[in-house]
Amino acid sequence: MKVLKIYSRTCGPCKVLESNLQLAGIPHESIDVQSIQGEDIASKYEIRTVPTLILVDDEGNVVKRHSGLLGVQELKEFCNE
């Protein structure tokens, strides 16, 4: 499983989410929607708002997703279900 964090450099909640992910010890890949790669990912996963977390399996299939800010405990639950 892999956690993708879709964010924007100018997004306040995105910065808080990054801090919470680090506090929770959750490895993740951060993708800025304003980058070329981010535009492609945002289109592929139909991202409408940031921050968005996407949990993908080893084949790249979406297991679940969440848009908005999550606290440390909520992040642990999101990644362990």
Side-chain angles (χ1 to χ4, degrees):
M1 296 279 198
K2 180 176 12 175
V3 177
L4 304 177
K5 180 192 78 170
I6 315 300
Y7 76 102
S8 169
R9 293 182 295 261
T10 58
C11 166
C14 297
K15 294 173 186 174
V16 175
L17 181 60
E18 176 63 29
S19 176
N20 289 349
L21 283 162
Q22 290 177 6
L23 287 170
I26 297 172
H28 60 282
E29 181 179 341
S30 295
I31 302 164
D32 185 348
V33 293
Q34 296 171 330
S35 70
I36 292 172
Q37 176 196 19
E39 290 176 6
D40 293 342
I41 295 291
S43 177
K44 176 181 177 179
Y45 292 112
E46 299 178 356
I47 302 301
R48 301 288 179 245
T49 186
V50 291
T52 294
L53 289 177
I54 302 173
L55 187 62
V56 295
D57 64 18
D58 295 335
E59 287 82 41
N61 300 310
V62 175
V63 175
K64 62 181 164 178
R65 61 189 291 153
H66 177 83
S67 294
L69 186 58
L70 290 172
V72 173
Q73 186 60 38
E74 294 168 315
L75 285 167
K76 289 178 181 178
E77 292 168 9
F78 175 83
C79 292
N80 288 327
E81 290 181 3

